[in-house]
Amino acid sequence: MEAMQHEHTHTDTCFDCAETCERCVTALLEMGEEDSKGHDLTACIKLCRDCADICTLCGRLEARGSQFMKSYMTVCAEACEACAAECEKHADHVAHCKACAEACRKCAEECRAMAA
């Protein structure tokens, strides 16, 4: 049986963003309450956790063709933008935050385009 080709979709973008947020949270928790520059990481951790959950649900709603997916994409874009803004504060000295901010910006952009 031949393997089916999988084209990258918006659902994949949502799940990729959720995974990146989860990895960022894990890295931040391992660092402790402050980064190397003394910045409090609590807000970043909270936003990453929210964003991961919201992105996962957004991807699931889209995968099933839910009637609520377009309105939920707007919420997902807002969460991604907030998470990206917070992670960008640490992106110059925390690699996971840089990757997270980039994934969040991409997901927010796709969600906004899909919800339009």
mmCIF file of all heavy atoms in Angstrom, residues 26-71:
data_model
loop_
_atom_site.group_PDB
_atom_site.id
_atom_site.type_symbol
_atom_site.label_atom_id
_atom_site.label_comp_id
_atom_site.label_asym_id
_atom_site.label_seq_id
_atom_site.Cartn_x
_atom_site.Cartn_y
_atom_site.Cartn_z
ATOM 1 N N THR A 26 8.142 24.298 28.817
ATOM 2 C CA THR A 26 9.044 23.348 29.472
ATOM 3 C C THR A 26 10.424 23.965 29.674
ATOM 4 O O THR A 26 10.997 23.887 30.759
ATOM 5 C CB THR A 26 9.150 22.042 28.662
ATOM 6 O OG1 THR A 26 7.842 21.468 28.582
ATOM 7 C CG2 THR A 26 10.108 21.064 29.305
ATOM 8 N N ALA A 27 10.949 24.610 28.648
ATOM 9 C CA ALA A 27 12.270 25.240 28.746
ATOM 10 C C ALA A 27 12.261 26.357 29.792
ATOM 11 O O ALA A 27 13.203 26.475 30.590
ATOM 12 C CB ALA A 27 12.690 25.797 27.389
ATOM 13 N N LEU A 28 11.209 27.148 29.804
ATOM 14 C CA LEU A 28 11.130 28.249 30.769
ATOM 15 C C LEU A 28 11.017 27.729 32.195
ATOM 16 O O LEU A 28 11.633 28.276 33.114
ATOM 17 C CB LEU A 28 9.955 29.172 30.434
ATOM 18 C CG LEU A 28 10.076 29.947 29.124
ATOM 19 C CD1 LEU A 28 8.803 30.738 28.859
ATOM 20 C CD2 LEU A 28 11.286 30.846 29.104
ATOM 21 N N LEU A 29 10.237 26.677 32.396
ATOM 22 C CA LEU A 29 10.117 26.098 33.736
ATOM 23 C C LEU A 29 11.446 25.535 34.217
ATOM 24 O O LEU A 29 11.774 25.629 35.396
ATOM 25 C CB LEU A 29 9.039 25.011 33.754
ATOM 26 C CG LEU A 29 7.604 25.519 33.639
ATOM 27 C CD1 LEU A 29 6.643 24.347 33.453
ATOM 28 C CD2 LEU A 29 7.213 26.349 34.846
ATOM 29 N N GLU A 30 12.204 24.981 33.299
ATOM 30 C CA GLU A 30 13.519 24.446 33.660
ATOM 31 C C GLU A 30 14.507 25.562 34.015
ATOM 32 O O GLU A 30 15.441 25.342 34.772
ATOM 33 C CB GLU A 30 14.056 23.575 32.530
ATOM 34 C CG GLU A 30 13.308 22.254 32.412
ATOM 35 C CD GLU A 30 13.674 21.442 31.193
ATOM 36 O OE1 GLU A 30 14.445 21.931 30.329
ATOM 37 O OE2 GLU A 30 13.172 20.306 31.090
ATOM 38 N N MET A 31 14.279 26.765 33.468
ATOM 39 C CA MET A 31 15.151 27.903 33.761
ATOM 40 C C MET A 31 14.878 28.476 35.146
ATOM 41 O O MET A 31 15.747 29.082 35.752
ATOM 42 C CB MET A 31 14.927 29.028 32.732
ATOM 43 C CG MET A 31 15.456 28.724 31.364
ATOM 44 S SD MET A 31 15.005 30.015 30.168
ATOM 45 C CE MET A 31 15.895 31.410 30.845
ATOM 46 N N GLY A 32 13.654 28.349 35.606
ATOM 47 C CA GLY A 32 13.269 28.952 36.881
ATOM 48 C C GLY A 32 12.371 30.148 36.653
ATOM 49 O O GLY A 32 11.866 30.356 35.556
ATOM 50 N N GLU A 33 12.178 30.956 37.669
ATOM 51 C CA GLU A 33 11.239 32.067 37.591
ATOM 52 C C GLU A 33 11.762 33.263 36.801
ATOM 53 O O GLU A 33 10.980 34.118 36.399
ATOM 54 C CB GLU A 33 10.837 32.517 38.991
ATOM 55 C CG GLU A 33 10.011 31.489 39.725
ATOM 56 C CD GLU A 33 9.651 31.951 41.123
ATOM 57 O OE1 GLU A 33 9.673 33.161 41.387
ATOM 58 O OE2 GLU A 33 9.344 31.082 41.950
ATOM 59 N N GLU A 34 13.071 33.331 36.603
ATOM 60 C CA GLU A 34 13.648 34.466 35.881
ATOM 61 C C GLU A 34 14.612 33.974 34.820
ATOM 62 O O GLU A 34 15.251 32.937 34.979
ATOM 63 C CB GLU A 34 14.409 35.381 36.846
ATOM 64 C CG GLU A 34 13.537 36.064 37.863
ATOM 65 C CD GLU A 34 14.332 36.969 38.777
ATOM 66 O OE1 GLU A 34 15.579 36.918 38.762
ATOM 67 O OE2 GLU A 34 13.701 37.740 39.519
ATOM 68 N N ASP A 35 14.731 34.751 33.749
ATOM 69 C CA ASP A 35 15.710 34.410 32.718
ATOM 70 C C ASP A 35 17.073 34.984 33.105
ATOM 71 O O ASP A 35 17.239 35.577 34.175
ATOM 72 C CB ASP A 35 15.260 34.888 31.340
ATOM 73 C CG ASP A 35 15.146 36.399 31.218
ATOM 74 O OD1 ASP A 35 15.700 37.124 32.076
ATOM 75 O OD2 ASP A 35 14.511 36.863 30.264
ATOM 76 N N SER A 36 18.046 34.817 32.236
ATOM 77 C CA SER A 36 19.418 35.253 32.542
ATOM 78 C C SER A 36 19.539 36.764 32.721
ATOM 79 O O SER A 36 20.494 37.243 33.305
ATOM 80 C CB SER A 36 20.360 34.784 31.435
ATOM 81 O OG SER A 36 19.988 35.369 30.195
ATOM 82 N N LYS A 37 18.557 37.512 32.243
ATOM 83 C CA LYS A 37 18.589 38.965 32.393
ATOM 84 C C LYS A 37 17.712 39.440 33.548
ATOM 85 O O LYS A 37 17.485 40.626 33.707
ATOM 86 C CB LYS A 37 18.154 39.622 31.087
ATOM 87 C CG LYS A 37 19.131 39.349 29.959
ATOM 88 C CD LYS A 37 18.935 40.308 28.832
ATOM 89 C CE LYS A 37 20.033 40.084 27.800
ATOM 90 N NZ LYS A 37 20.043 41.113 26.811
ATOM 91 N N GLY A 38 17.199 38.485 34.331
ATOM 92 C CA GLY A 38 16.398 38.844 35.492
ATOM 93 C C GLY A 38 14.939 39.144 35.192
ATOM 94 O O GLY A 38 14.214 39.627 36.052
ATOM 95 N N HIS A 39 14.483 38.844 33.975
ATOM 96 C CA HIS A 39 13.083 39.079 33.622
ATOM 97 C C HIS A 39 12.200 37.982 34.203
ATOM 98 O O HIS A 39 12.527 36.804 34.120
ATOM 99 C CB HIS A 39 12.899 39.107 32.103
ATOM 100 C CG HIS A 39 13.655 40.183 31.421
ATOM 101 N ND1 HIS A 39 14.593 39.938 30.453
ATOM 102 C CD2 HIS A 39 13.615 41.535 31.571
ATOM 103 C CE1 HIS A 39 15.095 41.076 30.028
ATOM 104 N NE2 HIS A 39 14.529 42.057 30.696
ATOM 105 N N ASP A 40 11.073 38.374 34.747
ATOM 106 C CA ASP A 40 10.091 37.414 35.266
ATOM 107 C C ASP A 40 9.457 36.686 34.076
ATOM 108 O O ASP A 40 9.010 37.308 33.120
ATOM 109 C CB ASP A 40 9.025 38.171 36.068
ATOM 110 C CG ASP A 40 8.012 37.254 36.716
ATOM 111 O OD1 ASP A 40 8.120 36.023 36.574
ATOM 112 O OD2 ASP A 40 7.096 37.780 37.365
ATOM 113 N N LEU A 41 9.424 35.380 34.144
ATOM 114 C CA LEU A 41 8.916 34.561 33.037
ATOM 115 C C LEU A 41 7.478 34.097 33.245
ATOM 116 O O LEU A 41 6.921 33.410 32.393
ATOM 117 C CB LEU A 41 9.824 33.341 32.840
ATOM 118 C CG LEU A 41 11.267 33.671 32.476
ATOM 119 C CD1 LEU A 41 12.131 32.418 32.537
ATOM 120 C CD2 LEU A 41 11.332 34.313 31.098
ATOM 121 N N THR A 42 6.856 34.491 34.335
ATOM 122 C CA THR A 42 5.514 34.013 34.663
ATOM 123 C C THR A 42 4.505 34.333 33.569
ATOM 124 O O THR A 42 3.734 33.460 33.150
ATOM 125 C CB THR A 42 5.041 34.602 36.010
ATOM 126 O OG1 THR A 42 6.002 34.286 37.005
ATOM 127 C CG2 THR A 42 3.693 34.051 36.414
ATOM 128 N N ALA A 43 4.470 35.563 33.083
ATOM 129 C CA ALA A 43 3.510 35.951 32.049
ATOM 130 C C ALA A 43 3.735 35.147 30.776
ATOM 131 O O ALA A 43 2.777 34.717 30.121
ATOM 132 C CB ALA A 43 3.601 37.449 31.758
ATOM 133 N N CYS A 44 4.988 34.924 30.441
ATOM 134 C CA CYS A 44 5.322 34.161 29.243
ATOM 135 C C CYS A 44 4.817 32.724 29.363
ATOM 136 O O CYS A 44 4.210 32.184 28.438
ATOM 137 C CB CYS A 44 6.831 34.196 29.019
ATOM 138 S SG CYS A 44 7.340 33.739 27.357
ATOM 139 N N ILE A 45 5.044 32.124 30.504
ATOM 140 C CA ILE A 45 4.593 30.748 30.738
ATOM 141 C C ILE A 45 3.074 30.659 30.636
ATOM 142 O O ILE A 45 2.532 29.770 29.973
ATOM 143 C CB ILE A 45 5.101 30.226 32.096
ATOM 144 C CG1 ILE A 45 6.622 30.055 32.048
ATOM 145 C CG2 ILE A 45 4.404 28.931 32.489
ATOM 146 C CD1 ILE A 45 7.274 29.838 33.410
ATOM 147 N N LYS A 46 2.373 31.579 31.273
ATOM 148 C CA LYS A 46 0.904 31.563 31.243
ATOM 149 C C LYS A 46 0.374 31.714 29.822
ATOM 150 O O LYS A 46 -0.543 31.000 29.409
ATOM 151 C CB LYS A 46 0.343 32.677 32.130
ATOM 152 C CG LYS A 46 0.479 32.406 33.606
ATOM 153 C CD LYS A 46 -0.103 33.566 34.388
ATOM 154 C CE LYS A 46 -0.039 33.327 35.869
ATOM 155 N NZ LYS A 46 -0.626 34.432 36.642
ATOM 156 N N LEU A 47 0.925 32.661 29.073
ATOM 157 C CA LEU A 47 0.458 32.881 27.707
ATOM 158 C C LEU A 47 0.771 31.688 26.802
ATOM 159 O O LEU A 47 -0.052 31.308 25.970
ATOM 160 C CB LEU A 47 1.056 34.162 27.129
ATOM 161 C CG LEU A 47 0.363 35.443 27.599
ATOM 162 C CD1 LEU A 47 1.200 36.666 27.244
ATOM 163 C CD2 LEU A 47 -1.018 35.558 26.960
ATOM 164 N N CYS A 48 1.938 31.095 26.973
ATOM 165 C CA CYS A 48 2.283 29.914 26.175
ATOM 166 C C CYS A 48 1.323 28.765 26.453
ATOM 167 O O CYS A 48 0.897 28.068 25.522
ATOM 168 C CB CYS A 48 3.715 29.459 26.457
ATOM 169 S SG CYS A 48 4.990 30.460 25.681
ATOM 170 N N ARG A 49 0.974 28.573 27.700
ATOM 171 C CA ARG A 49 0.039 27.492 28.046
ATOM 172 C C ARG A 49 -1.335 27.749 27.444
ATOM 173 O O ARG A 49 -1.951 26.850 26.867
ATOM 174 C CB ARG A 49 -0.059 27.341 29.566
ATOM 175 C CG ARG A 49 1.226 26.792 30.170
ATOM 176 C CD ARG A 49 1.146 26.664 31.670
ATOM 177 N NE ARG A 49 0.200 25.587 31.993
ATOM 178 C CZ ARG A 49 -0.525 25.547 33.108
ATOM 179 N NH1 ARG A 49 -0.408 26.479 34.012
ATOM 180 N NH2 ARG A 49 -1.337 24.547 33.331
ATOM 181 N N ASP A 50 -1.829 28.988 27.574
ATOM 182 C CA ASP A 50 -3.122 29.329 26.968
ATOM 183 C C ASP A 50 -3.079 29.146 25.461
ATOM 184 O O ASP A 50 -3.991 28.567 24.861
ATOM 185 C CB ASP A 50 -3.505 30.779 27.283
ATOM 186 C CG ASP A 50 -3.978 30.992 28.707
ATOM 187 O OD1 ASP A 50 -4.212 29.996 29.433
ATOM 188 O OD2 ASP A 50 -4.124 32.175 29.098
ATOM 189 N N CYS A 51 -2.028 29.648 24.855
ATOM 190 C CA CYS A 51 -1.892 29.581 23.405
ATOM 191 C C CYS A 51 -1.857 28.126 22.924
ATOM 192 O O CYS A 51 -2.511 27.775 21.944
ATOM 193 C CB CYS A 51 -0.639 30.341 22.966
ATOM 194 S SG CYS A 51 -0.544 30.607 21.183
ATOM 195 N N ALA A 52 -1.124 27.280 23.613
ATOM 196 C CA ALA A 52 -1.042 25.868 23.228
ATOM 197 C C ALA A 52 -2.422 25.220 23.250
ATOM 198 O O ALA A 52 -2.803 24.505 22.313
ATOM 199 C CB ALA A 52 -0.084 25.123 24.148
ATOM 200 N N ASP A 53 -3.184 25.477 24.305
ATOM 201 C CA ASP A 53 -4.526 24.888 24.402
ATOM 202 C C ASP A 53 -5.458 25.434 23.325
ATOM 203 O O ASP A 53 -6.218 24.686 22.696
ATOM 204 C CB ASP A 53 -5.131 25.161 25.785
ATOM 205 C CG ASP A 53 -4.490 24.332 26.887
ATOM 206 O OD1 ASP A 53 -3.779 23.353 26.583
ATOM 207 O OD2 ASP A 53 -4.712 24.673 28.064
ATOM 208 N N ILE A 54 -5.407 26.734 23.100
ATOM 209 C CA ILE A 54 -6.279 27.359 22.109
ATOM 210 C C ILE A 54 -5.920 26.886 20.701
ATOM 211 O O ILE A 54 -6.798 26.560 19.895
ATOM 212 C CB ILE A 54 -6.238 28.893 22.238
ATOM 213 C CG1 ILE A 54 -6.917 29.302 23.552
ATOM 214 C CG2 ILE A 54 -6.894 29.578 21.045
ATOM 215 C CD1 ILE A 54 -6.697 30.748 23.962
ATOM 216 N N CYS A 55 -4.633 26.808 20.394
ATOM 217 C CA CYS A 55 -4.202 26.333 19.070
ATOM 218 C C CYS A 55 -4.621 24.885 18.836
ATOM 219 O O CYS A 55 -5.043 24.527 17.735
ATOM 220 C CB CYS A 55 -2.688 26.454 18.914
ATOM 221 S SG CYS A 55 -2.103 28.134 18.664
ATOM 222 N N THR A 56 -4.501 24.064 19.860
ATOM 223 C CA THR A 56 -4.898 22.662 19.723
ATOM 224 C C THR A 56 -6.383 22.562 19.412
ATOM 225 O O THR A 56 -6.785 21.832 18.489
ATOM 226 C CB THR A 56 -4.562 21.873 21.015
ATOM 227 O OG1 THR A 56 -3.155 21.939 21.227
ATOM 228 C CG2 THR A 56 -4.993 20.428 20.901
ATOM 229 N N LEU A 57 -7.203 23.295 20.149
ATOM 230 C CA LEU A 57 -8.638 23.249 19.891
ATOM 231 C C LEU A 57 -8.965 23.824 18.520
ATOM 232 O O LEU A 57 -9.795 23.281 17.788
ATOM 233 C CB LEU A 57 -9.417 23.980 20.979
ATOM 234 C CG LEU A 57 -10.937 23.937 20.833
ATOM 235 C CD1 LEU A 57 -11.462 22.503 20.709
ATOM 236 C CD2 LEU A 57 -11.600 24.648 22.004
ATOM 237 N N CYS A 58 -8.303 24.904 18.135
ATOM 238 C CA CYS A 58 -8.541 25.504 16.822
ATOM 239 C C CYS A 58 -8.238 24.485 15.716
ATOM 240 O O CYS A 58 -9.021 24.316 14.779
ATOM 241 C CB CYS A 58 -7.684 26.762 16.651
ATOM 242 S SG CYS A 58 -8.059 27.703 15.160
ATOM 243 N N GLY A 59 -7.108 23.800 15.825
ATOM 244 C CA GLY A 59 -6.750 22.783 14.841
ATOM 245 C C GLY A 59 -7.751 21.649 14.795
ATOM 246 O O GLY A 59 -8.118 21.158 13.721
ATOM 247 N N ARG A 60 -8.220 21.241 15.944
ATOM 248 C CA ARG A 60 -9.208 20.155 16.004
ATOM 249 C C ARG A 60 -10.530 20.584 15.388
ATOM 250 O O ARG A 60 -11.162 19.808 14.659
ATOM 251 C CB ARG A 60 -9.411 19.714 17.451
ATOM 252 C CG ARG A 60 -8.177 19.013 18.021
ATOM 253 C CD ARG A 60 -8.339 18.650 19.468
ATOM 254 N NE ARG A 60 -9.352 17.587 19.589
ATOM 255 C CZ ARG A 60 -9.912 17.235 20.728
ATOM 256 N NH1 ARG A 60 -9.592 17.844 21.855
ATOM 257 N NH2 ARG A 60 -10.802 16.269 20.757
ATOM 258 N N LEU A 61 -10.970 21.801 15.678
ATOM 259 C CA LEU A 61 -12.223 22.294 15.106
ATOM 260 C C LEU A 61 -12.140 22.373 13.584
ATOM 261 O O LEU A 61 -13.090 22.016 12.881
ATOM 262 C CB LEU A 61 -12.585 23.659 15.691
ATOM 263 C CG LEU A 61 -12.994 23.679 17.164
ATOM 264 C CD1 LEU A 61 -13.171 25.106 17.656
ATOM 265 C CD2 LEU A 61 -14.257 22.860 17.401
ATOM 266 N N GLU A 62 -11.000 22.833 13.099
ATOM 267 C CA GLU A 62 -10.850 22.917 11.648
ATOM 268 C C GLU A 62 -10.794 21.521 11.023
ATOM 269 O O GLU A 62 -11.406 21.276 9.987
ATOM 270 C CB GLU A 62 -9.595 23.693 11.258
ATOM 271 C CG GLU A 62 -9.521 23.850 9.752
ATOM 272 C CD GLU A 62 -8.243 24.456 9.250
ATOM 273 O OE1 GLU A 62 -7.352 24.766 10.052
ATOM 274 O OE2 GLU A 62 -8.131 24.591 8.028
ATOM 275 N N ALA A 63 -10.090 20.617 11.654
ATOM 276 C CA ALA A 63 -9.960 19.260 11.116
ATOM 277 C C ALA A 63 -11.320 18.584 10.961
ATOM 278 O O ALA A 63 -11.525 17.801 10.031
ATOM 279 C CB ALA A 63 -9.042 18.423 12.009
ATOM 280 N N ARG A 64 -12.236 18.911 11.860
ATOM 281 C CA ARG A 64 -13.555 18.283 11.768
ATOM 282 C C ARG A 64 -14.560 19.136 11.009
ATOM 283 O O ARG A 64 -15.723 18.767 10.888
ATOM 284 C CB ARG A 64 -14.066 17.924 13.162
ATOM 285 C CG ARG A 64 -14.432 19.103 14.026
ATOM 286 C CD ARG A 64 -15.019 18.700 15.371
ATOM 287 N NE ARG A 64 -14.016 18.140 16.238
ATOM 288 C CZ ARG A 64 -13.879 18.431 17.524
ATOM 289 N NH1 ARG A 64 -14.720 19.264 18.109
ATOM 290 N NH2 ARG A 64 -12.923 17.889 18.236
ATOM 291 N N GLY A 65 -14.123 20.298 10.528
ATOM 292 C CA GLY A 65 -15.017 21.171 9.766
ATOM 293 C C GLY A 65 -16.129 21.766 10.617
ATOM 294 O O GLY A 65 -17.249 21.964 10.150
ATOM 295 N N SER A 66 -15.814 22.073 11.855
ATOM 296 C CA SER A 66 -16.807 22.599 12.791
ATOM 297 C C SER A 66 -17.398 23.920 12.310
ATOM 298 O O SER A 66 -16.713 24.759 11.717
ATOM 299 C CB SER A 66 -16.145 22.818 14.156
ATOM 300 O OG SER A 66 -17.017 23.514 15.020
ATOM 301 N N GLN A 67 -18.664 24.104 12.631
ATOM 302 C CA GLN A 67 -19.337 25.364 12.309
ATOM 303 C C GLN A 67 -18.772 26.532 13.119
ATOM 304 O O GLN A 67 -18.993 27.692 12.795
ATOM 305 C CB GLN A 67 -20.839 25.243 12.559
ATOM 306 C CG GLN A 67 -21.198 25.024 14.021
ATOM 307 C CD GLN A 67 -22.685 24.855 14.236
ATOM 308 O OE1 GLN A 67 -23.494 25.274 13.422
ATOM 309 N NE2 GLN A 67 -23.065 24.245 15.352
ATOM 310 N N PHE A 68 -18.024 26.226 14.169
ATOM 311 C CA PHE A 68 -17.463 27.264 15.031
ATOM 312 C C PHE A 68 -16.019 27.621 14.685
ATOM 313 O O PHE A 68 -15.444 28.514 15.285
ATOM 314 C CB PHE A 68 -17.510 26.809 16.500
ATOM 315 C CG PHE A 68 -18.896 26.470 16.954
ATOM 316 C CD1 PHE A 68 -19.256 25.147 17.150
ATOM 317 C CD2 PHE A 68 -19.850 27.457 17.143
ATOM 318 C CE1 PHE A 68 -20.531 24.818 17.555
ATOM 319 C CE2 PHE A 68 -21.128 27.132 17.542
ATOM 320 C CZ PHE A 68 -21.476 25.810 17.754
ATOM 321 N N MET A 69 -15.424 26.943 13.706
ATOM 322 C CA MET A 69 -13.992 27.100 13.474
ATOM 323 C C MET A 69 -13.601 28.512 13.062
ATOM 324 O O MET A 69 -12.601 29.014 13.536
ATOM 325 C CB MET A 69 -13.467 26.070 12.474
ATOM 326 C CG MET A 69 -13.841 26.298 11.058
ATOM 327 S SD MET A 69 -13.126 25.020 10.005
ATOM 328 C CE MET A 69 -13.825 25.539 8.452
ATOM 329 N N LYS A 70 -14.371 29.172 12.227
ATOM 330 C CA LYS A 70 -13.959 30.509 11.770
ATOM 331 C C LYS A 70 -13.963 31.519 12.913
ATOM 332 O O LYS A 70 -13.021 32.295 13.059
ATOM 333 C CB LYS A 70 -14.829 30.978 10.619
ATOM 334 C CG LYS A 70 -14.488 30.263 9.336
ATOM 335 C CD LYS A 70 -14.949 31.040 8.134
ATOM 336 C CE LYS A 70 -14.598 30.246 6.910
ATOM 337 N NZ LYS A 70 -13.817 30.985 5.972
ATOM 338 N N SER A 71 -14.987 31.507 13.743
ATOM 339 C CA SER A 71 -15.006 32.454 14.861
ATOM 340 C C SER A 71 -13.922 32.094 15.871
ATOM 341 O O SER A 71 -13.325 32.978 16.484
ATOM 342 C CB SER A 71 -16.381 32.512 15.524
ATOM 343 O OG SER A 71 -16.789 31.244 15.968
#
